[in-house]
Amino acid sequence: MRNVLLIAELSLREALRKRLVLILLVLTALFVGFYLYGILRLQHALDDRAISAGLDVRPEGGRRGLTGASVAFSAIFGMYLVYFLGSLMSVLSTVGAVSGDIESGVMQSVVSRPVSRGQLVVGRWLGFSIVNVAYVALLSAALLVGVRVITGFTSPQPFAAVALVLVAVLLLTSLTVLGSTVFSTLSNGIGVFVLYGLGFTGGILSTIGQFAATPVLVTLGNLANTLMPSNALWLGASYHLQPDYVLRLNELARGANPFISTTPISAGTVVWALAYALLALVLAVLAFRRRDL
């Protein structure tokens, strides 16, 4: 265990040395500031319309109806961007976790030390998981708190939503580490993004199948979501971000929006995603033990 924590610490220091964390903080601050400025302008526009109509600018209990839905949708879309950026971060930061050291020749000197290959893989996974999870958690908090301060809108179950997004981040991190022990850095990045696209395609197919009452498309979508449940986790998160009046509005649209869901995610899907992430890590350890350097 000590070696695992040591490798994780070295991975964190490597991220700091490469200024990965600094770059992320700067870009994240720009993203959050830009997005919240848009929310602020939206809030000012809604306030002006309320004043013109002789209504309360900040009604007790918050805005409802179409004006309230516009704020809620803005918060939900902002969290979708957080999910997307977290997914991108999970792949790009981890894509060379093992393969990068092999290609640079550093791995030969590392494995000659009293550290097993399994400990190396788990330590790498742990270090990058800490970076990715912390990044998404802080980004989610900044966005949701910012929306709350500006508009007064609070998502019904923000902690449950963020937790599901973090599960997706862990899953993508584990799959990327697995690919890094088997493929080259470039091939690994392409492969994981294809899997990510598969999950997104599954959500689109399920939405079209439900809207058009086509069971075959729904089945294909469910199969894709099983093979790559990252998008299913986001859809589950989106359910917890919607107040009741937005849920009713989306139900009237018969689920025509592929980016949000009107039904909660099943416990089985969450368990499968966690088991999938653990299985990917185990396979990464086994694959690296067998790999010739």
Side-chain angles (χ1 to χ4, degrees):
M1 186 62 185
R2 182 175 178 274
N3 287 337
V4 170
L5 295 177
L6 178 61
I7 296 297
E9 181 184 353
L10 291 175
S11 298
L12 292 173
R13 290 183 178 180
E14 179 183 340
L16 291 172
R17 186 174 66 252
K18 293 180 178 179
R19 297 184 179 180
L20 174 63
V21 175
L22 177 61
I23 292 173
L24 280 175
L25 290 177
V26 172
L27 293 179
T28 298
L30 291 174
F31 162 73
V32 172
F34 180 78
Y35 197 82
L36 291 182
Y37 177 73
I39 298 292
L40 179 64
R41 299 306 305 172
L42 171 64
Q43 184 65 30
H44 285 168
L46 295 176
D47 289 345
D48 291 342
R49 293 172 188 173
I51 293 173
S52 299
L55 304 174
D56 290 337
V57 174
R58 296 293 176 94
E60 184 177 354
R63 286 190 170 95
R64 301 179 67 85
L66 293 179
T67 56
S70 64
V71 174
F73 277 121
S74 298
I76 294 169
F77 183 67
M79 279 302 298
Y80 178 79
L81 292 178
V82 170
Y83 158 72
F84 175 75
L85 291 174
S87 301
L88 195 66
M89 169 69 177
S90 300
V91 178
L92 295 182
S93 68
T94 319
V95 67
V98 177
S99 59
D101 289 341
I102 295 176
E103 293 165 2
S104 65
V106 174
M107 187 61 69
Q108 283 76 6
S109 62
V110 174
V111 296
S112 64
R113 300 178 183 275
V115 178
S116 70
R117 293 192 178 192
Q119 290 172 334
L120 177 65
V121 172
V122 175
R124 281 295 203 179
W125 173 86
L126 180 60
F128 286 113
S129 293
I130 291 172
V131 172
N132 296 335
V133 167
Y135 170 72
V136 173
L138 290 174
L139 183 55
S140 300
L143 190 136
L144 292 175
V145 170
V147 171
R148 166 67 179 176
V149 171
I150 293 172
T151 68
F153 171 78
T154 301
S155 300
Q157 301 180 62
F159 293 106
V162 173
L164 289 172
V165 173
L166 292 180
V167 173
V169 167
L170 284 175
L171 174 60
L172 284 167
T173 301
S174 297
L175 288 172
T176 309
V177 169
L178 171 59
S180 185
T181 63
V182 178
F183 306 110
S184 66
T185 300
L186 179 60
S187 298
N188 181 31
I190 295 173
V192 177
F193 274 121
V194 169
L195 281 176
Y196 177 82
L198 176 65
F200 182 76
T201 301
I204 296 292
L205 289 176
S206 295
T207 299
I208 295 175
Q210 292 172 3
F211 189 76
T214 308
V216 174
L217 291 181
V218 175
T219 301
L220 290 174
N222 291 336
L223 177 60
N225 285 328
T226 301
L227 294 174
M228 186 57 189
S230 58
N231 190 71
L233 290 167
W234 157 251
L235 292 176
S238 70
Y239 172 82
H240 295 297
L241 295 170
Q242 301 172 71
D244 291 338
Y245 58 90
V246 174
L247 278 174
R248 290 195 294 269
L249 182 63
N250 288 324
E251 287 171 352
L252 291 175
R254 295 177 57 191
N257 190 338
F259 296 99
I260 57 179
S261 175
T262 57
T263 57
I265 190 172
S266 66
T269 301
V270 178
V271 171
W272 164 237
L274 290 170
Y276 198 169
L278 179 60
L279 177 61
L281 179 60
V282 172
L283 291 176
V285 171
L286 296 176
F288 190 52
R289 283 178 178 174
R290 295 172 176 268
R291 180 166 180 173
D292 292 329
L293 300 179

